[in-house]
């Protein structure tokens, strides 16, 4: 059996990305979102949303993704509508045989489910497996130094990234990166059934977060004062708590992926 023929990376894929008002998955909001459908032999089908998040877009966030509060208010749709349409589009296409590629999935999917709770009083339905290139890279090349951002990984694996922090460009680059990792590590990830790979990432994410929590606790022992030490220990405890859930940062999830 050839690796190419047996790899999930050669079948239909979805890729997803959000650009947001900030980095807090509980309180920040969607600004843009993109879902890309990828089928062998076809051009990718791209659907992008622009939301009026209903709050001011901080200047530092607008500087990253290029969307100002004024632009979002003039051209965006209501946040409740955008959130519902994204969730509906995911549910319509995402199933156990069609992985969803999301870079740093706990951020994007947790923020999406927070928006669903905020506007519609429900959680995100996980209707298929997730492939997170960030989680995979941290597992497969654990001791490599340097950043693990999408841009850094695309540069390392020689993957094309057209325009960083544009949701469509980032989503497409994430799919390309997932494909490259599957081909680079066929035995470890490329030929594993998607549902099994999803479960593997749950455990790998937990291990990675526990390692980070231990790092924070070591830093706390070297802190300059009690307040700094307490802050590091508090952050470590939060990291450990959230490590138990993947691809969301909490247990608030409707899970339909078969074991």
């Amino acid at each position: 059996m050839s690796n190419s023929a047996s790899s999930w990376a050669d079948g239909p894929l979805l890729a997803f990305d959000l650009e947001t008002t900030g980095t807090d998955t509980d309180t920040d909001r969607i600004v843009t979102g993109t879902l890309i459908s990828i089928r062998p032999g076809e051009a990718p089908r791209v659907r992008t949303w622009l939301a009026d998040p209903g709050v001011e877009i901080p200047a530092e966030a607008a500087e990253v993704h290029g969307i100002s509060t004024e632009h979002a208010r003039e051209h965006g749709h209501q946040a409740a509508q955008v959130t519902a349409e994204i969730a509906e589009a995911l549910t319509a296409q995402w199933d156990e045989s069609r992985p969803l590629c999301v870079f740093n999935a706990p951020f994007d999917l947790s923020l999406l489910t927070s928006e669903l709770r905020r506007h519609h009083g429900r959680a995100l339905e996980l209707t298929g497996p997730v492939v997170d290139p960030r989680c995979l890279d941290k597992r497969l090349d654990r001791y490599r130094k340097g950043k693990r951002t999408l841009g850094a990984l695309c540069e390392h694996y020689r993957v094309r990234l057209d325009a960083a922090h544009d949701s469509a460009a980032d989503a497409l680059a994430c799919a390309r990166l997932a494909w490259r990792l599957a081909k680079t590590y066929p035995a470890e990830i490329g030929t594993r059934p998607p549902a099994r790979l999803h479960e593997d990432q749950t455990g790998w994410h937990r291990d990675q977060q526990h390692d980070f929590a231990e790092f924070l606790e070591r830093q706390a022992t070297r802190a300059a004062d009690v307040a700094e030490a307490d802050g590091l220990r508090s952050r470590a405890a939060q990291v450990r708590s959230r490590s138990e859930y993947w691809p969301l940062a909490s247990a608030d999830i409707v899970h339909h992926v078969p074991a």
Side-chain angles (χ1 to χ4, degrees):
M1 183 189 309
S2 70
N3 289 332
S4 178
S6 62
S7 178
W8 51 264
D10 293 322
L13 296 174
L14 295 171
F16 179 63
D17 185 75
L18 295 177
E19 296 299 324
T20 64
T21 60
T23 58
D24 189 317
T25 58
D26 294 328
T27 61
D28 279 306
R29 311 296 178 91
I30 294 171
V31 178
T32 64
T34 296
L35 180 64
I36 301 179
S37 173
I38 301 169
R39 291 184 177 275
E42 298 180 7
R45 297 183 180 181
V46 181
R47 185 174 181 186
T48 295
W49 294 264
L50 172 63
D52 172 2
V55 298
E56 293 286 327
I57 299 174
E60 56 270 25
E63 186 176 349
V64 170
H65 52 60
I67 307 296
S68 66
T69 301
E70 294 73 20
H71 181 86
R73 286 176 177 170
E74 181 177 356
H75 301 285
H77 295 283
Q78 290 186 348
Q81 177 187 343
V82 168
T83 303
E85 289 181 1
I86 291 174
E88 182 181 355
L90 279 171
T91 301
Q93 300 181 68
W94 184 20
D95 60 37
E96 62 189 65
S97 63
R98 195 173 195 193
L100 178 69
C101 301
V102 192
F103 191 87
N104 193 16
F107 176 78
D108 290 63
L109 298 184
S110 296
L111 196 145
L112 175 58
T113 208
S114 291
E115 287 276 62
L116 281 168
R117 286 199 306 266
R118 181 176 297 115
H119 297 294
H120 303 287
R122 62 185 178 89
L124 176 68
E125 287 190 67
L126 190 70
T127 54
V130 170
V131 174
D132 182 348
R134 185 171 184 266
C135 181
L136 296 178
D137 174 69
K138 290 175 73 175
R139 171 69 179 188
L140 297 165
D141 201 354
R142 179 178 178 182
Y143 298 107
R144 189 181 77 251
K145 294 181 179 180
K147 295 181 178 180
R148 306 275 180 161
T149 61
L150 177 61
L153 265 61
C154 285
E155 181 177 356
H156 177 74
Y157 289 102
R158 299 182 180 180
V159 167
R160 178 179 168 187
L161 172 57
D162 294 317
H165 303 298
D166 172 271
S167 61
D170 284 0
L172 188 56
C174 177
R176 291 169 175 156
L177 187 55
W179 185 92
R180 180 62 56 85
L181 286 165
K183 298 303 179 179
T184 304
Y185 300 97
E188 296 89 342
I189 63 170
T191 59
R192 296 181 80 78
R196 177 65 183 275
L197 184 59
H198 181 103
E199 293 303 317
D200 287 342
Q201 289 169 98
T202 301
W204 297 342
H205 172 77
R206 183 188 305 115
D207 293 344
Q208 292 160 8
Q209 294 300 96
H210 281 200
D211 286 346
F212 182 49
E214 290 173 5
F215 167 78
L216 292 172
E217 289 162 349
R218 289 194 300 271
Q219 294 296 104
T221 65
R222 307 184 185 101
D225 54 53
V226 173
E228 181 184 356
D230 287 345
L232 288 165
R233 292 190 182 99
S234 175
R235 187 180 177 195
Q238 184 182 50
V239 168
R240 286 186 187 279
S241 175
R242 291 197 166 199
S243 73
E244 299 305 311
Y245 308 104
W246 186 91
L248 293 185
S250 75
D252 186 10
I253 188 168
V254 180
H255 199 296
H256 295 310
V257 179

PDB file of all heavy atoms in Angstrom, residues 49-85:
ATOM      1  N   TRP A  49     -16.586  35.297   5.507  1.00  0.00           N
ATOM      2  CA  TRP A  49     -17.561  36.156   6.183  1.00  0.00           C
ATOM      3  C   TRP A  49     -16.846  37.352   6.800  1.00  0.00           C
ATOM      4  O   TRP A  49     -15.723  37.225   7.309  1.00  0.00           O
ATOM      5  CB  TRP A  49     -18.262  35.405   7.312  1.00  0.00           C
ATOM      6  CG  TRP A  49     -19.144  34.274   6.907  1.00  0.00           C
ATOM      7  CD1 TRP A  49     -20.506  34.308   6.730  1.00  0.00           C
ATOM      8  CD2 TRP A  49     -18.748  32.918   6.664  1.00  0.00           C
ATOM      9  NE1 TRP A  49     -20.965  33.070   6.390  1.00  0.00           N
ATOM     10  CE2 TRP A  49     -19.925  32.187   6.338  1.00  0.00           C
ATOM     11  CE3 TRP A  49     -17.531  32.244   6.685  1.00  0.00           C
ATOM     12  CZ2 TRP A  49     -19.902  30.833   6.051  1.00  0.00           C
ATOM     13  CZ3 TRP A  49     -17.502  30.895   6.394  1.00  0.00           C
ATOM     14  CH2 TRP A  49     -18.683  30.201   6.071  1.00  0.00           C
ATOM     15  N   LEU A  50     -17.505  38.506   6.757  1.00  0.00           N
ATOM     16  CA  LEU A  50     -17.054  39.690   7.480  1.00  0.00           C
ATOM     17  C   LEU A  50     -18.155  40.077   8.454  1.00  0.00           C
ATOM     18  O   LEU A  50     -19.306  40.282   8.047  1.00  0.00           O
ATOM     19  CB  LEU A  50     -16.777  40.849   6.521  1.00  0.00           C
ATOM     20  CG  LEU A  50     -16.486  42.212   7.175  1.00  0.00           C
ATOM     21  CD1 LEU A  50     -15.216  42.154   8.013  1.00  0.00           C
ATOM     22  CD2 LEU A  50     -16.385  43.311   6.112  1.00  0.00           C
ATOM     23  N   ALA A  51     -17.797  40.164   9.730  1.00  0.00           N
ATOM     24  CA  ALA A  51     -18.780  40.468  10.764  1.00  0.00           C
ATOM     25  C   ALA A  51     -18.582  41.873  11.316  1.00  0.00           C
ATOM     26  O   ALA A  51     -17.450  42.367  11.404  1.00  0.00           O
ATOM     27  CB  ALA A  51     -18.658  39.457  11.907  1.00  0.00           C
ATOM     28  N   ASP A  52     -19.682  42.496  11.691  1.00  0.00           N
ATOM     29  CA  ASP A  52     -19.628  43.628  12.603  1.00  0.00           C
ATOM     30  C   ASP A  52     -19.685  43.017  13.997  1.00  0.00           C
ATOM     31  O   ASP A  52     -20.739  42.531  14.420  1.00  0.00           O
ATOM     32  CB  ASP A  52     -20.820  44.554  12.374  1.00  0.00           C
ATOM     33  CG  ASP A  52     -20.924  45.648  13.422  1.00  0.00           C
ATOM     34  OD1 ASP A  52     -20.036  45.716  14.307  1.00  0.00           O
ATOM     35  OD2 ASP A  52     -21.898  46.426  13.375  1.00  0.00           O
ATOM     36  N   PRO A  53     -18.564  42.990  14.730  1.00  0.00           N
ATOM     37  CA  PRO A  53     -18.556  42.249  15.981  1.00  0.00           C
ATOM     38  C   PRO A  53     -19.415  42.843  17.082  1.00  0.00           C
ATOM     39  O   PRO A  53     -19.640  42.198  18.110  1.00  0.00           O
ATOM     40  CB  PRO A  53     -17.069  42.253  16.378  1.00  0.00           C
ATOM     41  CG  PRO A  53     -16.511  43.453  15.699  1.00  0.00           C
ATOM     42  CD  PRO A  53     -17.261  43.585  14.411  1.00  0.00           C
ATOM     43  N   GLY A  54     -19.903  44.059  16.878  1.00  0.00           N
ATOM     44  CA  GLY A  54     -20.750  44.679  17.893  1.00  0.00           C
ATOM     45  C   GLY A  54     -19.966  45.362  18.991  1.00  0.00           C
ATOM     46  O   GLY A  54     -20.553  45.920  19.920  1.00  0.00           O
ATOM     47  N   VAL A  55     -18.643  45.337  18.891  1.00  0.00           N
ATOM     48  CA  VAL A  55     -17.765  46.027  19.840  1.00  0.00           C
ATOM     49  C   VAL A  55     -16.657  46.705  19.036  1.00  0.00           C
ATOM     50  O   VAL A  55     -16.480  46.435  17.849  1.00  0.00           O
ATOM     51  CB  VAL A  55     -17.140  45.039  20.861  1.00  0.00           C
ATOM     52  CG1 VAL A  55     -18.217  44.364  21.695  1.00  0.00           C
ATOM     53  CG2 VAL A  55     -16.268  44.008  20.158  1.00  0.00           C
ATOM     54  N   GLU A  56     -15.934  47.590  19.686  1.00  0.00           N
ATOM     55  CA  GLU A  56     -14.791  48.227  19.041  1.00  0.00           C
ATOM     56  C   GLU A  56     -13.715  47.188  18.746  1.00  0.00           C
ATOM     57  O   GLU A  56     -13.429  46.320  19.570  1.00  0.00           O
ATOM     58  CB  GLU A  56     -14.211  49.314  19.935  1.00  0.00           C
ATOM     59  CG  GLU A  56     -15.124  50.516  20.147  1.00  0.00           C
ATOM     60  CD  GLU A  56     -15.188  51.402  18.903  1.00  0.00           C
ATOM     61  OE1 GLU A  56     -14.169  51.495  18.190  1.00  0.00           O
ATOM     62  OE2 GLU A  56     -16.249  52.010  18.670  1.00  0.00           O
ATOM     63  N   ILE A  57     -13.125  47.269  17.567  1.00  0.00           N
ATOM     64  CA  ILE A  57     -11.973  46.435  17.241  1.00  0.00           C
ATOM     65  C   ILE A  57     -10.726  47.175  17.709  1.00  0.00           C
ATOM     66  O   ILE A  57     -10.441  48.265  17.212  1.00  0.00           O
ATOM     67  CB  ILE A  57     -11.892  46.156  15.731  1.00  0.00           C
ATOM     68  CG1 ILE A  57     -13.144  45.419  15.260  1.00  0.00           C
ATOM     69  CG2 ILE A  57     -10.645  45.343  15.405  1.00  0.00           C
ATOM     70  CD1 ILE A  57     -13.223  45.236  13.748  1.00  0.00           C
ATOM     71  N   PRO A  58     -10.000  46.633  18.678  1.00  0.00           N
ATOM     72  CA  PRO A  58      -8.824  47.348  19.177  1.00  0.00           C
ATOM     73  C   PRO A  58      -7.830  47.645  18.061  1.00  0.00           C
ATOM     74  O   PRO A  58      -7.705  46.884  17.097  1.00  0.00           O
ATOM     75  CB  PRO A  58      -8.230  46.362  20.198  1.00  0.00           C
ATOM     76  CG  PRO A  58      -9.387  45.500  20.608  1.00  0.00           C
ATOM     77  CD  PRO A  58     -10.235  45.364  19.387  1.00  0.00           C
ATOM     78  N   ALA A  59      -7.110  48.741  18.214  1.00  0.00           N
ATOM     79  CA  ALA A  59      -6.163  49.158  17.183  1.00  0.00           C
ATOM     80  C   ALA A  59      -5.102  48.100  16.926  1.00  0.00           C
ATOM     81  O   ALA A  59      -4.708  47.864  15.779  1.00  0.00           O
ATOM     82  CB  ALA A  59      -5.508  50.474  17.604  1.00  0.00           C
ATOM     83  N   GLU A  60      -4.660  47.412  17.989  1.00  0.00           N
ATOM     84  CA  GLU A  60      -3.619  46.402  17.797  1.00  0.00           C
ATOM     85  C   GLU A  60      -4.141  45.212  16.997  1.00  0.00           C
ATOM     86  O   GLU A  60      -3.393  44.609  16.222  1.00  0.00           O
ATOM     87  CB  GLU A  60      -3.053  45.941  19.139  1.00  0.00           C
ATOM     88  CG  GLU A  60      -4.045  45.403  20.131  1.00  0.00           C
ATOM     89  CD  GLU A  60      -4.621  46.469  21.053  1.00  0.00           C
ATOM     90  OE1 GLU A  60      -4.651  47.660  20.667  1.00  0.00           O
ATOM     91  OE2 GLU A  60      -5.035  46.100  22.164  1.00  0.00           O
ATOM     92  N   ALA A  61      -5.428  44.876  17.156  1.00  0.00           N
ATOM     93  CA  ALA A  61      -6.006  43.794  16.355  1.00  0.00           C
ATOM     94  C   ALA A  61      -6.195  44.236  14.913  1.00  0.00           C
ATOM     95  O   ALA A  61      -5.911  43.477  13.975  1.00  0.00           O
ATOM     96  CB  ALA A  61      -7.344  43.355  16.958  1.00  0.00           C
ATOM     97  N   ALA A  62      -6.689  45.446  14.717  1.00  0.00           N
ATOM     98  CA  ALA A  62      -6.878  45.964  13.359  1.00  0.00           C
ATOM     99  C   ALA A  62      -5.557  46.050  12.613  1.00  0.00           C
ATOM    100  O   ALA A  62      -5.498  45.826  11.394  1.00  0.00           O
ATOM    101  CB  ALA A  62      -7.547  47.333  13.415  1.00  0.00           C
ATOM    102  N   GLU A  63      -4.498  46.345  13.345  1.00  0.00           N
ATOM    103  CA  GLU A  63      -3.183  46.418  12.708  1.00  0.00           C
ATOM    104  C   GLU A  63      -2.743  45.057  12.198  1.00  0.00           C
ATOM    105  O   GLU A  63      -2.062  44.951  11.180  1.00  0.00           O
ATOM    106  CB  GLU A  63      -2.160  46.962  13.704  1.00  0.00           C
ATOM    107  CG  GLU A  63      -0.789  47.211  13.102  1.00  0.00           C
ATOM    108  CD  GLU A  63       0.174  47.842  14.088  1.00  0.00           C
ATOM    109  OE1 GLU A  63      -0.282  48.276  15.165  1.00  0.00           O
ATOM    110  OE2 GLU A  63       1.376  47.892  13.776  1.00  0.00           O
ATOM    111  N   VAL A  64      -3.159  44.003  12.888  1.00  0.00           N
ATOM    112  CA  VAL A  64      -2.781  42.643  12.488  1.00  0.00           C
ATOM    113  C   VAL A  64      -3.545  42.211  11.240  1.00  0.00           C
ATOM    114  O   VAL A  64      -2.966  41.772  10.243  1.00  0.00           O
ATOM    115  CB  VAL A  64      -3.020  41.648  13.644  1.00  0.00           C
ATOM    116  CG1 VAL A  64      -2.867  40.204  13.157  1.00  0.00           C
ATOM    117  CG2 VAL A  64      -2.044  41.920  14.778  1.00  0.00           C
ATOM    118  N   HIS A  65      -4.884  42.305  11.288  1.00  0.00           N
ATOM    119  CA  HIS A  65      -5.672  41.760  10.176  1.00  0.00           C
ATOM    120  C   HIS A  65      -6.210  42.804   9.205  1.00  0.00           C
ATOM    121  O   HIS A  65      -6.786  42.448   8.167  1.00  0.00           O
ATOM    122  CB  HIS A  65      -6.823  40.889  10.690  1.00  0.00           C
ATOM    123  CG  HIS A  65      -7.701  41.530  11.728  1.00  0.00           C
ATOM    124  ND1 HIS A  65      -8.407  42.684  11.507  1.00  0.00           N
ATOM    125  CD2 HIS A  65      -8.006  41.135  12.991  1.00  0.00           C
ATOM    126  CE1 HIS A  65      -9.106  42.987  12.597  1.00  0.00           C
ATOM    127  NE2 HIS A  65      -8.875  42.077  13.508  1.00  0.00           N
ATOM    128  N   GLY A  66      -6.049  44.067   9.508  1.00  0.00           N
ATOM    129  CA  GLY A  66      -6.400  45.109   8.554  1.00  0.00           C
ATOM    130  C   GLY A  66      -7.860  45.522   8.534  1.00  0.00           C
ATOM    131  O   GLY A  66      -8.266  46.296   7.658  1.00  0.00           O
ATOM    132  N   ILE A  67      -8.664  45.061   9.495  1.00  0.00           N
ATOM    133  CA  ILE A  67     -10.091  45.404   9.519  1.00  0.00           C
ATOM    134  C   ILE A  67     -10.350  46.366  10.674  1.00  0.00           C
ATOM    135  O   ILE A  67     -10.179  46.015  11.842  1.00  0.00           O
ATOM    136  CB  ILE A  67     -10.977  44.146   9.689  1.00  0.00           C
ATOM    137  CG1 ILE A  67     -10.632  43.087   8.643  1.00  0.00           C
ATOM    138  CG2 ILE A  67     -12.449  44.540   9.618  1.00  0.00           C
ATOM    139  CD1 ILE A  67     -10.894  43.493   7.223  1.00  0.00           C
ATOM    140  N   SER A  68     -10.777  47.572  10.349  1.00  0.00           N
ATOM    141  CA  SER A  68     -11.071  48.570  11.387  1.00  0.00           C
ATOM    142  C   SER A  68     -12.523  48.444  11.839  1.00  0.00           C
ATOM    143  O   SER A  68     -13.362  47.828  11.168  1.00  0.00           O
ATOM    144  CB  SER A  68     -10.832  49.976  10.840  1.00  0.00           C
ATOM    145  OG  SER A  68     -11.784  50.264   9.811  1.00  0.00           O
ATOM    146  N   THR A  69     -12.815  49.071  12.959  1.00  0.00           N
ATOM    147  CA  THR A  69     -14.200  49.099  13.451  1.00  0.00           C
ATOM    148  C   THR A  69     -15.123  49.726  12.415  1.00  0.00           C
ATOM    149  O   THR A  69     -16.217  49.216  12.143  1.00  0.00           O
ATOM    150  CB  THR A  69     -14.275  49.897  14.764  1.00  0.00           C
ATOM    151  OG1 THR A  69     -13.422  49.288  15.738  1.00  0.00           O
ATOM    152  CG2 THR A  69     -15.697  49.943  15.292  1.00  0.00           C
ATOM    153  N   GLU A  70     -14.688  50.818  11.811  1.00  0.00           N
ATOM    154  CA  GLU A  70     -15.523  51.515  10.835  1.00  0.00           C
ATOM    155  C   GLU A  70     -15.799  50.637   9.618  1.00  0.00           C
ATOM    156  O   GLU A  70     -16.937  50.583   9.121  1.00  0.00           O
ATOM    157  CB  GLU A  70     -14.830  52.811  10.397  1.00  0.00           C
ATOM    158  CG  GLU A  70     -14.685  53.856  11.491  1.00  0.00           C
ATOM    159  CD  GLU A  70     -13.632  53.513  12.538  1.00  0.00           C
ATOM    160  OE1 GLU A  70     -12.734  52.677  12.247  1.00  0.00           O
ATOM    161  OE2 GLU A  70     -13.717  54.075  13.647  1.00  0.00           O
ATOM    162  N   HIS A  71     -14.777  49.955   9.130  1.00  0.00           N
ATOM    163  CA  HIS A  71     -14.965  49.076   7.973  1.00  0.00           C
ATOM    164  C   HIS A  71     -15.916  47.938   8.310  1.00  0.00           C
ATOM    165  O   HIS A  71     -16.804  47.603   7.502  1.00  0.00           O
ATOM    166  CB  HIS A  71     -13.614  48.524   7.522  1.00  0.00           C
ATOM    167  CG  HIS A  71     -13.707  47.631   6.324  1.00  0.00           C
ATOM    168  ND1 HIS A  71     -13.699  48.119   5.031  1.00  0.00           N
ATOM    169  CD2 HIS A  71     -13.831  46.268   6.215  1.00  0.00           C
ATOM    170  CE1 HIS A  71     -13.806  47.102   4.172  1.00  0.00           C
ATOM    171  NE2 HIS A  71     -13.872  45.977   4.867  1.00  0.00           N
ATOM    172  N   ALA A  72     -15.758  47.346   9.481  1.00  0.00           N
ATOM    173  CA  ALA A  72     -16.621  46.218   9.873  1.00  0.00           C
ATOM    174  C   ALA A  72     -18.071  46.668  10.021  1.00  0.00           C
ATOM    175  O   ALA A  72     -19.000  45.958   9.614  1.00  0.00           O
ATOM    176  CB  ALA A  72     -16.117  45.601  11.172  1.00  0.00           C
ATOM    177  N   ARG A  73     -18.272  47.851  10.582  1.00  0.00           N
ATOM    178  CA  ARG A  73     -19.643  48.343  10.761  1.00  0.00           C
ATOM    179  C   ARG A  73     -20.305  48.669   9.423  1.00  0.00           C
ATOM    180  O   ARG A  73     -21.505  48.444   9.244  1.00  0.00           O
ATOM    181  CB  ARG A  73     -19.634  49.582  11.654  1.00  0.00           C
ATOM    182  CG  ARG A  73     -19.393  49.264  13.114  1.00  0.00           C
ATOM    183  CD  ARG A  73     -19.282  50.512  13.963  1.00  0.00           C
ATOM    184  NE  ARG A  73     -19.115  50.174  15.373  1.00  0.00           N
ATOM    185  CZ  ARG A  73     -18.795  51.049  16.318  1.00  0.00           C
ATOM    186  NH1 ARG A  73     -18.609  52.339  15.996  1.00  0.00           N
ATOM    187  NH2 ARG A  73     -18.661  50.668  17.571  1.00  0.00           N
ATOM    188  N   GLU A  74     -19.513  49.193   8.484  1.00  0.00           N
ATOM    189  CA  GLU A  74     -20.082  49.581   7.190  1.00  0.00           C
ATOM    190  C   GLU A  74     -20.340  48.375   6.290  1.00  0.00           C
ATOM    191  O   GLU A  74     -21.361  48.319   5.591  1.00  0.00           O
ATOM    192  CB  GLU A  74     -19.148  50.559   6.483  1.00  0.00           C
ATOM    193  CG  GLU A  74     -19.681  51.037   5.141  1.00  0.00           C
ATOM    194  CD  GLU A  74     -18.781  52.062   4.483  1.00  0.00           C
ATOM    195  OE1 GLU A  74     -17.779  52.469   5.102  1.00  0.00           O
ATOM    196  OE2 GLU A  74     -19.098  52.465   3.337  1.00  0.00           O
ATOM    197  N   HIS A  75     -19.438  47.414   6.308  1.00  0.00           N
ATOM    198  CA  HIS A  75     -19.504  46.330   5.336  1.00  0.00           C
ATOM    199  C   HIS A  75     -19.850  44.962   5.931  1.00  0.00           C
ATOM    200  O   HIS A  75     -20.201  44.047   5.178  1.00  0.00           O
ATOM    201  CB  HIS A  75     -18.163  46.215   4.601  1.00  0.00           C
ATOM    202  CG  HIS A  75     -17.756  47.459   3.885  1.00  0.00           C
ATOM    203  ND1 HIS A  75     -18.346  47.867   2.701  1.00  0.00           N
ATOM    204  CD2 HIS A  75     -16.812  48.406   4.189  1.00  0.00           C
ATOM    205  CE1 HIS A  75     -17.795  48.992   2.304  1.00  0.00           C
ATOM    206  NE2 HIS A  75     -16.859  49.339   3.179  1.00  0.00           N
ATOM    207  N   GLY A  76     -19.754  44.817   7.245  1.00  0.00           N
ATOM    208  CA  GLY A  76     -19.966  43.511   7.857  1.00  0.00           C
ATOM    209  C   GLY A  76     -21.431  43.215   8.132  1.00  0.00           C
ATOM    210  O   GLY A  76     -22.274  44.115   8.191  1.00  0.00           O
ATOM    211  N   HIS A  77     -21.723  41.939   8.310  1.00  0.00           N
ATOM    212  CA  HIS A  77     -23.057  41.502   8.720  1.00  0.00           C
ATOM    213  C   HIS A  77     -23.101  41.365  10.238  1.00  0.00           C
ATOM    214  O   HIS A  77     -22.063  41.318  10.905  1.00  0.00           O
ATOM    215  CB  HIS A  77     -23.391  40.164   8.060  1.00  0.00           C
ATOM    216  CG  HIS A  77     -23.509  40.249   6.565  1.00  0.00           C
ATOM    217  ND1 HIS A  77     -24.614  40.778   5.932  1.00  0.00           N
ATOM    218  CD2 HIS A  77     -22.650  39.875   5.587  1.00  0.00           C
ATOM    219  CE1 HIS A  77     -24.442  40.728   4.617  1.00  0.00           C
ATOM    220  NE2 HIS A  77     -23.254  40.194   4.384  1.00  0.00           N
ATOM    221  N   GLN A  78     -24.296  41.269  10.767  1.00  0.00           N
ATOM    222  CA  GLN A  78     -24.440  41.147  12.209  1.00  0.00           C
ATOM    223  C   GLN A  78     -23.714  39.898  12.705  1.00  0.00           C
ATOM    224  O   GLN A  78     -23.738  38.843  12.063  1.00  0.00           O
ATOM    225  CB  GLN A  78     -25.912  41.075  12.593  1.00  0.00           C
ATOM    226  CG  GLN A  78     -26.666  42.379  12.397  1.00  0.00           C
ATOM    227  CD  GLN A  78     -28.086  42.305  12.924  1.00  0.00           C
ATOM    228  OE1 GLN A  78     -28.599  41.228  13.237  1.00  0.00           O
ATOM    229  NE2 GLN A  78     -28.725  43.450  13.037  1.00  0.00           N
ATOM    230  N   ALA A  79     -23.112  40.029  13.879  1.00  0.00           N
ATOM    231  CA  ALA A  79     -22.312  38.927  14.423  1.00  0.00           C
ATOM    232  C   ALA A  79     -23.135  37.659  14.606  1.00  0.00           C
ATOM    233  O   ALA A  79     -22.656  36.549  14.345  1.00  0.00           O
ATOM    234  CB  ALA A  79     -21.691  39.352  15.746  1.00  0.00           C
ATOM    235  N   ALA A  80     -24.376  37.787  15.034  1.00  0.00           N
ATOM    236  CA  ALA A  80     -25.221  36.611  15.243  1.00  0.00           C
ATOM    237  C   ALA A  80     -25.451  35.870  13.928  1.00  0.00           C
ATOM    238  O   ALA A  80     -25.437  34.632  13.883  1.00  0.00           O
ATOM    239  CB  ALA A  80     -26.557  37.022  15.857  1.00  0.00           C
ATOM    240  N   GLN A  81     -25.677  36.614  12.856  1.00  0.00           N
ATOM    241  CA  GLN A  81     -25.880  35.999  11.541  1.00  0.00           C
ATOM    242  C   GLN A  81     -24.620  35.287  11.070  1.00  0.00           C
ATOM    243  O   GLN A  81     -24.676  34.149  10.590  1.00  0.00           O
ATOM    244  CB  GLN A  81     -26.290  37.068  10.527  1.00  0.00           C
ATOM    245  CG  GLN A  81     -26.451  36.543   9.106  1.00  0.00           C
ATOM    246  CD  GLN A  81     -26.703  37.658   8.102  1.00  0.00           C
ATOM    247  OE1 GLN A  81     -27.062  38.779   8.465  1.00  0.00           O
ATOM    248  NE2 GLN A  81     -26.494  37.360   6.819  1.00  0.00           N
ATOM    249  N   VAL A  82     -23.482  35.961  11.195  1.00  0.00           N
ATOM    250  CA  VAL A  82     -22.220  35.367  10.747  1.00  0.00           C
ATOM    251  C   VAL A  82     -21.919  34.102  11.533  1.00  0.00           C
ATOM    252  O   VAL A  82     -21.536  33.068  10.961  1.00  0.00           O
ATOM    253  CB  VAL A  82     -21.075  36.390  10.883  1.00  0.00           C
ATOM    254  CG1 VAL A  82     -19.717  35.711  10.719  1.00  0.00           C
ATOM    255  CG2 VAL A  82     -21.243  37.504   9.860  1.00  0.00           C
ATOM    256  N   THR A  83     -22.087  34.150  12.836  1.00  0.00           N
ATOM    257  CA  THR A  83     -21.805  32.979  13.667  1.00  0.00           C
ATOM    258  C   THR A  83     -22.679  31.803  13.273  1.00  0.00           C
ATOM    259  O   THR A  83     -22.207  30.665  13.142  1.00  0.00           O
ATOM    260  CB  THR A  83     -22.018  33.325  15.146  1.00  0.00           C
ATOM    261  OG1 THR A  83     -21.190  34.439  15.503  1.00  0.00           O
ATOM    262  CG2 THR A  83     -21.674  32.146  16.036  1.00  0.00           C
ATOM    263  N   ALA A  84     -23.970  32.064  13.067  1.00  0.00           N
ATOM    264  CA  ALA A  84     -24.886  30.995  12.678  1.00  0.00           C
ATOM    265  C   ALA A  84     -24.528  30.423  11.316  1.00  0.00           C
ATOM    266  O   ALA A  84     -24.567  29.198  11.110  1.00  0.00           O
ATOM    267  CB  ALA A  84     -26.316  31.514  12.673  1.00  0.00           C
ATOM    268  N   GLU A  85     -24.170  31.275  10.370  1.00  0.00           N
ATOM    269  CA  GLU A  85     -23.834  30.801   9.029  1.00  0.00           C
ATOM    270  C   GLU A  85     -22.549  29.970   9.031  1.00  0.00           C
ATOM    271  O   GLU A  85     -22.457  28.968   8.321  1.00  0.00           O
ATOM    272  CB  GLU A  85     -23.712  31.981   8.070  1.00  0.00           C
ATOM    273  CG  GLU A  85     -25.054  32.629   7.739  1.00  0.00           C
ATOM    274  CD  GLU A  85     -24.920  33.782   6.760  1.00  0.00           C
ATOM    275  OE1 GLU A  85     -23.775  34.069   6.326  1.00  0.00           O
ATOM    276  OE2 GLU A  85     -25.951  34.393   6.421  1.00  0.00           O
TER     277      GLU A  85
END
